Amino acid sequence: MQSQIHPLIAPAPGLALQLASHHFGDAGAARKIYVQAGLHADEIPAMLVAVTLKARLRELEAQGRLRAQVVLVSAANPIGLGQAVLGGFIGRFELSSGNNFNRGFPMLFKPVAAAVEDKLTQDGAHNLRVIRAAWREALLAQPPVNAFQSLQQALMLLAHDAEVVLDLHCSREAAMHVYTGDAIWPEVEPLARYLGATASLLALDSGAHSFDEAHSYTWWQLQQEFGARFPIPHGSIAVTVEHRGQRDVTDALAQQDTQALLDYLTHIGAIAGEAPPLPPLPQPATPLAGSEQLVAGAAGLLVYRAQVGERVTAGQPLFDIVDPVEGTRATTVSHADGVFYMGREVRYVKPGDQIGRVSGARAFRTGKLLSP
Ligand SMILES: [Zn+2]
């Protein structure tokens, strides 16, 4: 293992910010896998998985079993790790700007397409190399002006040329689930099976410019632009993995999830060995546009009537909001058959607060799909 330090733009005199990446296997290998955790810095289960994965990768490297270079950023957000307000850890948004750390990544289809259109051939492997080189140049051509942007650039420079990009997160209260692109679902499905994903939410473009979409959607755009004339492979199998809820921090779960990631990497041949048989997918994949985003209609005490991770049916009560003065209750029911895959950990809500999500098979939403 080799570790590299990437200095970020310092937010103030006397303060230094840096990102660490850990590199396993042959740096010149034809294949590259990228894994990061804690882009939302308050999502601890993901970082514990990364720490566990780091130890396992060191063993696999010592055994000579890595068939790809693996780059791991086990604490992907040093800005967020340093933020707190009145004793509360704030890792999802940058305090100074309000920016969500997993939104607004640079979408570089246009400069990459302009740079490669005269260089593509009938050789798909050549096209992969040309596109990745142009992508790196496009990233470097946008100098960051603040710490937030320098973090985004550093992460993209590490990840943009990897064939698999795994962005490890968690939700508030949740069952294991994944987000990924429509076009790459067949490649992601084995990962969802090994992880035991209770929901797999597919979107071409959620409108969020999240880290995984900055990879997978850009490749999809390149395929649309050039695919009729040149072979353009899926250059990046990019997935956001939600390692349950924020308080699901145990070594046993971290080891279970790490094993699932390693089984997937073995399945695709990035690790030598025989992968275990694919387990069944717990629930079929569904469109993110079919996922119901439930918000509180009034302030009150939140009482769940369904379990997170449970399969629910249309009309089934999900939660009550109790008025603490009058004692009245308002019940919200599911509008779809699906999995109640995410809830809210704080049991007092204000109007408009997000309080749950239910996967549904029928797409009905448009626009920004990761927002209510
Ligand atoms: Zn997250």
Side-chain angles (χ1 to χ4, degrees), residues 3 9 30 38 60 79 85 129 131 136 154 160 167 172 178 189 274 279 325 344 361 370:
S3 296
I9 291 178
L60 290 163
I79 304 170
V85 172
R129 286 194 298 275
I131 290 169
R136 177 179 170 78
H160 74 282
D167 191 14
R172 294 178 144 184
V178 300
E189 195 211 33
E274 191 170 338
V325 178
R344 182 187 181 86
L370 288 171

Side-chain angles (χ1 to χ4, degrees), residues 143-274:
V145 298
N146 54 37
F148 184 92
Q149 289 182 9
S150 70
L151 176 65
Q152 287 194 326
Q153 186 196 48
L155 295 171
M156 288 294 297
L157 282 169
L158 285 163
H160 74 282
D161 56 352
E163 66 169 274
V164 173
V165 172
L166 303 180
D167 191 14
L168 311 187
H169 287 247
C170 76
S171 193
R172 294 178 144 184
E173 277 190 0
M176 169 64 77
H177 59 286
V178 300
Y179 296 94
T180 194
D182 284 324
I184 54 175
W185 170 241
E187 283 86 352
V188 176
E189 195 211 33
L191 174 66
R193 288 177 181 238
Y194 284 122
L195 287 166
T198 58
S200 299
L201 302 148
L202 309 185
L204 183 59
D205 173 21
S206 75
H209 300 174
S210 60
F211 188 73
D212 72 315
E213 284 184 353
H215 293 86
S216 54
Y217 185 54
T218 301
W219 279 104
W220 184 85
Q221 289 177 299
L222 290 164
Q223 288 170 333
Q224 298 307 302
E225 181 75 12
F226 299 116
R229 289 172 285 155
F230 305 103
I232 311 290
H234 293 313
S236 204
I237 306 304
V239 190
T240 297
V241 182
E242 302 283 352
H243 293 266
R244 307 175 191 81
Q246 282 181 318
R247 289 173 57 83
D248 294 320
V249 183
T250 70
D251 284 323
L253 285 173
Q255 283 161 10
Q256 176 185 323
D257 293 351
T258 296
Q259 188 60 53
L261 298 179
L262 293 173
D263 289 344
Y264 173 67
L265 295 181
T266 307
H267 176 80
I268 64 170
I271 296 172
E274 191 170 338

Side-chain angles (χ1 to χ4, degrees), residues 1-318:
M1 183 189 80
Q2 282 195 323
S3 296
Q4 295 179 8
I5 296 299
H6 312 271
L8 306 180
I9 291 178
L15 283 180
L17 272 179
Q18 63 183 32
L19 184 73
S21 59
H22 309 299
H23 300 246
F24 305 85
D26 177 4
R31 305 182 68 181
K32 177 178 173 182
I33 309 295
Y34 176 83
V35 185
Q36 73 177 24
L39 175 57
H40 285 143
D42 51 357
E43 298 179 356
I44 316 305
M47 283 188 285
L48 189 62
V49 169
V51 168
T52 310
L53 181 63
K54 185 180 172 191
R56 293 288 304 278
L57 287 169
R58 290 185 86 141
E59 293 172 6
L60 290 163
E61 183 179 51
Q63 294 164 1
R65 290 180 58 197
L66 297 182
R67 296 287 176 267
Q69 181 192 13
V70 182
V71 176
L72 173 66
V73 177
S74 53
N77 186 352
I79 304 170
L81 287 173
Q83 295 185 152
V85 172
L86 300 175
F89 182 17
I90 306 289
R92 185 174 181 83
F93 301 94
E94 188 191 40
L95 278 177
S96 62
S97 66
N99 289 334
N100 183 320
F101 283 109
N102 194 22
R103 303 287 186 272
F105 273 89
M107 304 298 286
L108 297 175
F109 160 67
K110 284 185 178 171
V112 172
V116 303
E117 61 182 345
D118 296 334
K119 299 177 183 166
L120 299 174
T121 69
Q122 296 307 313
D123 178 352
H126 165 84
N127 295 341
L128 276 178
R129 286 194 298 275
V130 164
I131 290 169
R132 285 172 175 157
W135 201 323
R136 177 179 170 78
E137 291 306 313
L139 286 165
L140 292 171
Q142 295 190 341
V145 298
N146 54 37
F148 184 92
Q149 289 182 9
S150 70
L151 176 65
Q152 287 194 326
Q153 186 196 48
L155 295 171
M156 288 294 297
L157 282 169
L158 285 163
H160 74 282
D161 56 352
E163 66 169 274
V164 173
V165 172
L166 303 180
D167 191 14
L168 311 187
H169 287 247
C170 76
S171 193
R172 294 178 144 184
E173 277 190 0
M176 169 64 77
H177 59 286
V178 300
Y179 296 94
T180 194
D182 284 324
I184 54 175
W185 170 241
E187 283 86 352
V188 176
E189 195 211 33
L191 174 66
R193 288 177 181 238
Y194 284 122
L195 287 166
T198 58
S200 299
L201 302 148
L202 309 185
L204 183 59
D205 173 21
S206 75
H209 300 174
S210 60
F211 188 73
D212 72 315
E213 284 184 353
H215 293 86
S216 54
Y217 185 54
T218 301
W219 279 104
W220 184 85
Q221 289 177 299
L222 290 164
Q223 288 170 333
Q224 298 307 302
E225 181 75 12
F226 299 116
R229 289 172 285 155
F230 305 103
I232 311 290
H234 293 313
S236 204
I237 306 304
V239 190
T240 297
V241 182
E242 302 283 352
H243 293 266
R244 307 175 191 81
Q246 282 181 318
R247 289 173 57 83
D248 294 320
V249 183
T250 70
D251 284 323
L253 285 173
Q255 283 161 10
Q256 176 185 323
D257 293 351
T258 296
Q259 188 60 53
L261 298 179
L262 293 173
D263 289 344
Y264 173 67
L265 295 181
T266 307
H267 176 80
I268 64 170
I271 296 172
E274 191 170 338
L278 281 169
L281 189 65
Q283 300 289 344
T286 52
L288 182 58
S291 184
E292 187 177 7
Q293 312 255 341
L294 303 155
V295 298
L301 318 178
L302 178 62
V303 183
Y304 282 109
R305 294 176 61 178
Q307 292 282 327
V308 165
E310 182 182 339
R311 191 160 177 89
V312 297
T313 53
Q316 180 175 340
L318 297 175

